[in-house]
Amino acid sequence: MATTQKLSAEPTSERISFSVNGRAAEIAAPGTRRLSRVLRDDLGLTGTKVGCDAGDCGACTVLLDGQPVCACLTAVGQVAGCAITTVEGLASRGPLHDQLQQSFLGHGASQCGACTPGMLVAATALLERNSSPDEGEVMDALGGVLCRCTGYRKIISAVMEAGTRVAPALPAAGSAVGARLVRLDGRQKVDGTEIFGADQTPAAALGVRVIRSPHDRARFHFGDLDQFAASHPGVMLVLTARDVPGVDCYGVIPKYADQPVFAHREARYRGEAVAAVVGEPDVLEALDLADFPIRWEELPPLKTINEALAPDAPRIHAHREENVLVRGRVVCGDVENAFARADLVVEGEYETGFVEHAYIEPEAGFARSVGDGIEIQACTQSPYMDRADIAKILGIAPEKVRIIPTAVGGGFGSKLDLSVQPFVALAAWKLGQQVRMVYSRSESIASTTKRHPARMRLRAGATREGKLTALDFSADFNTGAYSSWGPTVAGRVPVHASGPYRVPNYRALTRAVHTNLVPAGAFRGFGVPQAAIAQEQLYDDLADKVGMDRLEFRILNALDNHTPTVTGQVLGEGVGIRACLEALRTRWKVARAQTSEFNENSAGPLRRGVGVAGMWYGCGNTSLPNPSTVRIGLKRDGRIALHQGAVDIGQGSNTIVTQICADALGAPVAQFDLVSPDTAITPDCGKTSASRQTFVTGKAAHMAGTKLRGEIQKLAGACNCTTLEFGDGCVKVVDNGKKTTLSLAKLPLDARGYVITCESTFDPPITPLDENGQGTPYAVFGFGAHMAEIEVDIELGTVRVLKVTAAHDVGRAINPTLIEGQIEGGVAQGLGMALMEEFFPGKGENLHDYLIPSAGDVPPVESILIEEPCSIGPFGAKGIGEQAVIPTAPAILNAIHDATGVRIHRVPATPDRVRAAILAKASRGVRG
């Protein structure tokens, strides 16, 4: 047991003086206190972000006497007498700061914004000593700051072009769509004022520390919890499953909900919560949880798919036979007969591992009781889903729960699931006090969802002329201990595993399998990136067996507007895959020739290769309702309030949706006031995932803007061909040269406080899939193709990506700068998946051992935007978020094969695996 004496044995505080942003500061604190804590907690300078507390991510970078340092690794005692500059103080360092800010905004160099302060500080230090750095010098300067969103390329360009690139002005009415509009929330990202989950601490807020299982599977028994709390002054409460007043079972898909807030008697994975200690933050920080009264009884875990599927395996969930959560199935044609008749057949097996989301912002938020309800402010991708689950857990009506999303410092799918929300909500509900929680980096990695590991087996058949005749695909996905998004992965993959090609005879069978490992959930693509790794490598093998160019093989088999997909859907319009592949043709031929010449003349260990891969991705939910609702209000001052609940996690929905609505209404973007997501004041725009916000919420915004335009015209007695001019307190309606002025101050307000309120809902037209997966799973697909040029050291096994060319059919490029940013960020994540990223539960729960690409790892990316509009989308637009990551890894893997002749069947293609494959090939004395 920790004692009161132990808790009081804190380092002695001392008076420490220094300057911050040009102002004198003096604090009383232990000299060992982290500078990051002093800046954020004591001085309120929350622009300095904390992503790891280990010096791994660089988000907390500040200037110490002009030199960049990690504030989380700097003791405040070390800065006595020194000058500190944070992102909030960069403006005091002359015009360079404004030039750098403008360049970041103009280039779209900030997406979620969590890394932006660190990037700006590091860039300032570089430019102050070298006003014209080259690309290598910029990469070196930024190498200590990680970014998970942008892919670094726009950041590097912004630094190199600071002072030469000015953020463009807002477009005029009617010209927002297609404009390279600066993010409407960009200014607060670059000046450090954006509010993320950990950036607000209510006065006197209590803290929470969660007790988590140290074992993959274990029974547990509590000791005297009341005595533990009583013996630790400042500890207010210990929470366990017995304290959940409602239904202790939640999940992102209600039909499959199976996760408790706290485990009941048995923990199913390492990192699962079993209890929580609530109390004064300083007390909790000093608390030694090794003394918590709990006894563990370790049990044999099921850690692999084979172990879980074994006939004698215990069930992880009693009602799920064979430990299978769900199965997926899409079948068309006669697969066996097609293979019997195929001229050529290839087959292969491929595996992928867990991949960590590694967003720079760990999960954080706080809760408070308000009357007979609860309010939660936290980083989330899905406020209305959070509301439903918190209401269920607390046993209250959903309307009694208010979710206020903060800015989200990256999500990529994992922040769709609950994290801190149930813990702070339960504590606040029980105590009637405000309660705050911030995950540590290790806690975040250990307990939150991952990309599903996959084990995939494929056969493909073709004619001698190269036409695909059959594909047989089967896959098992390790979904971990709880369901999360396992049903979505198992259901989406069979629809997509053919790739964007015509396959007349097709069978795809999947299983999501429970194990005693961390839950796997949504991660940018819902299993499609894993399937693409398998299918695109197999198609390369098939093209080689046919004796056909690999790109031309794909062009020959590409879907078009009139050919059916494997679910029998004929899209009719907007099928841009052939255009994407053809856009690569010239570059492909040049790269192939250059690679061949390089390899012929290479006397050393370096070999180069070129690879290509195609992709498609359905925008929105798979054969399920998928609505978004947008509300728009005309205010008496002539401004327009846009209520849209789509959470912007860096992808740019705040800006994109406004651009769409503005042009539908015929008003300038500058006239809009964005009412950010909040379940009390914004309608439900659904979750931010599945590349749905531009398409679904954008369409709802288009409809609402069009409706408001019609209401204004009706009020003025004008036809629908008029032009609207919004002024101070009025709207002028111009009809064939005749101008009618509506004075808004004289008009009554409606129940929502607006002169006119319009609301529209859009739900894409889809149909359920039958027992063979036939139907219309998505209204719109995005298409794309990537070409990767790489260099392999065949003696070391190292792989360097030299360039990626990415062609994407986006329907209509609402904002080309933001689309390019999504593509570049997707390339970086795909590169990480291909070459370096694999999470092993219980190991490497930090950003030092778990590697993600840094600025020096990501090559130049050439984006080619193809516009094959789909009439159902807003101005023809489709999504891009998921699409950008899918073809990168298979293109790189195909390039490795092109360079070395070896296939990498388990990713990532780390140097040891590449070298082992090369040695194995050499020992066989054959290519392949």
Side-chain angles (χ1 to χ4, degrees):
M1 288 283 184
T3 64
T4 304
Q5 289 73 22
K6 183 175 180 179
L7 291 178
S8 65
E10 292 296 312
T12 304
S13 292
E14 54 186 290
R15 306 297 300 183
I16 303 171
S17 299
F18 49 94
S19 73
V20 180
N21 300 332
R23 295 185 178 183
E26 184 178 79
I27 65 160
T32 55
R33 185 171 170 84
R34 296 179 192 267
L35 177 61
S36 54
R37 294 285 302 274
V38 170
L39 293 172
R40 290 177 56 83
D41 300 345
D42 301 340
L43 301 179
L45 296 171
T46 57
T48 299
K49 306 306 177 189
V50 175
C52 66
D53 265 343
D56 295 327
C57 74
C60 65
T61 301
V62 299
L63 297 181
L64 175 59
D65 288 339
Q67 298 300 311
V69 299
C70 285
C72 74
L73 293 185
T74 304
V76 69
Q78 295 176 283
V79 307
C82 298
I84 306 297
T85 305
T86 70
V87 66
E88 294 94 338
L90 292 180
S92 66
R93 302 181 79 88
L96 171 63
H97 170 63
D98 183 63
Q99 294 169 359
L100 196 54
Q101 276 191 332
Q102 288 294 319
S103 190
F104 264 59
L105 292 171
H107 281 86
S110 177
Q111 290 190 20
C112 82
C115 76
T116 302
M119 289 290 185
L120 285 167
V121 170
T124 297
L126 169 66
L127 294 176
E128 286 184 343
R129 67 175 185 270
N130 180 359
S131 60
S132 300
D134 61 27
E135 184 173 288
E137 290 169 324
V138 174
M139 286 182 173
D140 287 345
L142 303 181
V145 186
L146 295 177
C147 174
R148 194 57 157 165
C149 296
T150 67
Y152 301 100
R153 300 307 306 182
K154 290 192 179 298
I155 297 174
I156 292 167
S157 296
V159 176
M160 294 181 67
E161 298 177 26
T164 65
R165 182 76 169 263
V166 177
L170 290 174
S175 57
V177 170
R180 290 183 176 271
L181 185 66
V182 168
R183 288 177 180 273
L184 299 181
D185 55 1
R187 173 58 59 180
Q188 54 264 41
K189 294 180 187 295
V190 300
D191 66 15
T193 59
E194 185 71 282
I195 301 298
F196 293 88
D199 287 344
Q200 286 189 337
T201 304
L206 299 173
V208 182
R209 286 188 68 182
V210 173
I211 313 300
R212 298 185 181 275
S213 172
H215 306 292
D216 295 306
R217 181 185 174 214
R219 293 191 189 95
F220 56 91
H221 310 273
F222 292 121
D224 192 334
L225 300 180
D226 293 335
Q227 172 60 27
F228 173 81
S231 65
H232 293 81
V235 170
M236 312 296 291
L237 180 68
V238 176
L239 293 168
T240 66
R242 68 184 181 187
D243 296 298
V244 176
V247 178
D248 192 11
C249 179
Y250 66 87
V252 289
I253 304 175
K255 178 181 177 181
Y256 298 99
D258 57 6
Q259 188 161 1
V261 177
F262 300 108
H264 297 207
R265 296 181 296 280
E266 181 179 316
R268 292 185 171 100
Y269 73 96
R270 183 186 183 278
E272 181 166 14
V274 299
V277 182
V278 185
E280 296 170 8
D282 290 344
V283 171
L284 294 186
E285 186 173 357
L287 198 61
D288 184 359
L289 292 184
D291 293 331
F292 187 80
I294 187 170
R295 179 170 58 83
W296 297 99
E297 181 186 342
E298 195 169 358
L299 299 170
L302 304 174
K303 298 178 69 172
T304 69
I305 290 172
N306 283 345
E307 289 173 347
L309 293 174
D312 58 347
R315 291 186 190 178
I316 293 174
H317 296 274
H319 61 292
R320 290 181 179 147
E321 295 183 4
E322 301 178 299
N323 287 316
V324 174
L325 166 63
V326 70
R327 289 173 168 83
R329 173 184 172 90
V330 172
V331 176
C332 68
D334 186 339
V335 173
E336 296 304 333
N337 183 55
F339 275 114
R341 297 167 61 88
D343 295 323
L344 301 162
V345 176
V346 294
E347 58 186 302
E349 295 187 8
Y350 302 88
E351 286 188 71
T352 68
F354 282 111
V355 181
E356 160 63 19
H357 296 75
Y359 28 71
I360 303 304
E361 176 208 29
E363 296 76 1
F366 65 86
R368 57 185 166 218
S369 294
V370 179
D372 59 350
I374 195 89
E375 287 186 0
I376 302 172
Q377 179 172 304
C379 52
T380 178
Q381 295 179 234
S382 49
Y384 274 86
M385 290 166 57
D386 288 3
R387 186 180 80 157
D389 269 336
I390 294 300
K392 180 181 177 183
I393 290 165
L394 295 182
I396 60 178
E399 294 74 24
K400 298 294 184 181
V401 179
R402 180 181 185 183
I403 305 293
I404 307 169
T406 63
V408 180
F412 317 114
S414 188
K415 289 177 183 174
L416 293 165
D417 295 72
L418 293 179
S419 58
V420 302
Q421 296 93 322
F423 305 127
V424 295
L426 271 174
W429 190 251
K430 289 282 185 180
L431 295 172
Q433 295 180 251
Q434 300 188 92
V435 181
R436 176 177 180 265
M437 186 178 189
V438 180
Y439 274 8
S440 67
R441 175 57 62 181
S442 60
E443 186 173 25
S444 175
I445 293 179
S447 65
T448 61
T449 60
K450 307 288 174 275
R451 186 181 292 284
H452 281 74
R455 185 179 65 186
M456 299 166 284
R457 296 162 294 281
L458 301 87
R459 281 191 303 158
T463 67
R464 290 186 180 87
E465 294 74 31
K467 292 288 287 186
L468 281 167
T469 59
L471 181 70
D472 193 4
F473 174 96
S474 63
D476 290 325
F477 292 91
N478 187 335
T479 204
Y482 294 105
S483 63
S484 184
W485 293 98
T488 301
V489 169
R492 182 179 278 267
V493 167
V495 175
H496 289 82
S498 64
Y501 313 106
R502 171 64 176 140
V503 183
N505 302 284
Y506 178 77
R507 178 169 58 206
L509 307 176
T510 59
R511 295 182 292 189
V513 181
H514 281 301
T515 62
N516 288 118
L517 295 177
V518 62
F523 190 168
R524 207 169 188 176
F526 288 102
V528 178
Q530 295 94 303
I533 283 172
Q535 109 226 340
E536 290 295 320
Q537 289 194 87
L538 197 73
Y539 287 156
D540 253 25
D541 290 343
L542 189 53
D544 289 350
K545 196 163 187 177
V546 170
M548 189 173 185
D549 178 271
R550 298 156 188 164
L551 176 63
E552 296 301 329
F553 175 85
R554 289 171 169 83
I555 293 172
L556 174 67
N557 288 287
L559 288 169
D560 60 31
N561 290 339
H562 308 295
T563 53
T565 70
V566 293
T567 70
Q569 181 178 4
V570 177
L571 293 166
E573 62 175 354
V575 180
I577 181 57
R578 181 169 277 113
C580 290
L581 292 164
E582 289 175 343
L584 298 178
R585 185 180 266 146
T586 300
R587 295 165 176 82
W588 170 259
K589 291 178 180 179
V590 171
R592 294 278 288 169
Q594 291 175 341
T595 294
S596 178
E597 181 182 2
F598 178 90
N599 290 339
E600 287 174 5
N601 296 313
S602 178
L606 300 182
R607 300 290 184 273
R608 289 186 176 176
V610 187
V612 67
M615 62 73 54
W616 66 328
Y617 193 79
C619 298
N621 296 341
T622 307
S623 289
L624 290 171
N626 193 27
S628 281
T629 301
V630 168
R631 182 185 308 133
I632 185 172
L634 177 62
K635 300 194 281 189
R636 274 185 169 165
D637 62 3
R639 295 191 62 77
I640 302 147
L642 176 59
H643 295 252
Q644 67 92 6
V647 177
D648 193 324
I649 61 174
Q651 85 281 20
S653 59
N654 284 341
T655 305
I656 294 287
V657 172
T658 306
Q659 287 179 263
I660 292 168
C661 191
D663 276 12
L665 174 59
V669 169
Q671 203 69 18
F672 278 76
D673 296 323
L674 182 62
V675 182
S676 297
D678 178 336
T679 59
I681 58 176
T682 55
D684 186 3
C685 283
K687 57 189 172 63
T688 293
S689 71
S691 298
R692 61 176 299 282
Q693 293 296 11
T694 294
F695 169 48
V696 184
T697 298
K699 183 68 171 184
H702 184 280
M703 294 165 63
T706 301
K707 187 182 291 187
L708 179 56
R709 178 182 176 83
E711 291 298 318
I712 293 171
Q713 291 166 336
K714 186 188 301 183
L715 198 61
C719 69
N720 60 10
C721 61
T722 57
T723 300
L724 305 182
E725 297 176 1
F726 292 82
D728 186 9
C730 68
V731 179
K732 297 176 182 179
V733 182
V734 184
D735 186 358
N736 292 322
K738 177 185 176 183
K739 186 174 291 187
T740 301
T741 299
L742 299 176
S743 178
L744 303 178
K746 299 177 181 178
L747 297 176
L749 300 180
D750 62 20
R752 297 192 182 277
Y754 297 123
V755 176
I756 305 173
T757 300
C758 291
E759 188 170 291
S760 293
T761 298
F762 175 66
D763 193 0
I766 49 86
T767 65
L769 301 182
D770 66 17
E771 67 276 7
N772 285 319
Q774 299 300 292
T776 302
Y778 313 101
V780 169
F781 285 81
F783 298 89
H786 287 191
M787 183 180 80
E789 300 169 56
I790 62 100
E791 186 174 83
V792 182
D793 186 319
I794 60 174
E795 292 181 355
L796 299 177
T798 56
V799 179
R800 184 165 68 98
V801 182
L802 305 175
K803 182 181 179 182
V804 172
T805 305
H808 280 275
D809 167 26
V810 298
R812 177 72 184 278
I814 302 295
N815 189 317
T817 299
L818 299 187
I819 292 173
E820 290 164 358
Q822 286 296 288
I823 291 171
E824 291 167 13
V827 165
Q829 289 189 358
L831 183 153
M833 187 178 180
L835 300 180
M836 64 182 70
E837 294 189 48
E838 184 170 14
F839 174 69
F840 298 93
K843 301 177 182 178
E845 292 164 352
N846 56 68
L847 295 179
H848 178 74
D849 296 310
Y850 185 85
L851 298 179
I852 67 172
S854 64
D857 295 312
V858 182
V861 178
E862 180 185 359
S863 296
I864 303 170
L865 304 187
I866 306 295
E867 294 185 312
E868 291 281 347
C870 190
S871 59
I872 195 171
F875 297 101
K878 309 171 183 178
I880 187 61
E882 259 88 355
Q883 287 86 322
V885 75
I886 294 168
T888 302
I892 291 171
L893 294 166
N894 281 336
I896 293 172
H897 180 263
D898 186 54
T900 65
V902 302
R903 275 276 168 231
I904 306 300
H905 290 271
R906 180 179 175 87
V907 295
T910 50
D912 59 312
R913 288 175 178 165
V914 174
R915 178 63 176 155
I918 291 170
L919 291 174
K921 171 180 172 287
S923 68
R924 292 193 306 269
V926 295
R927 183 177 177 85

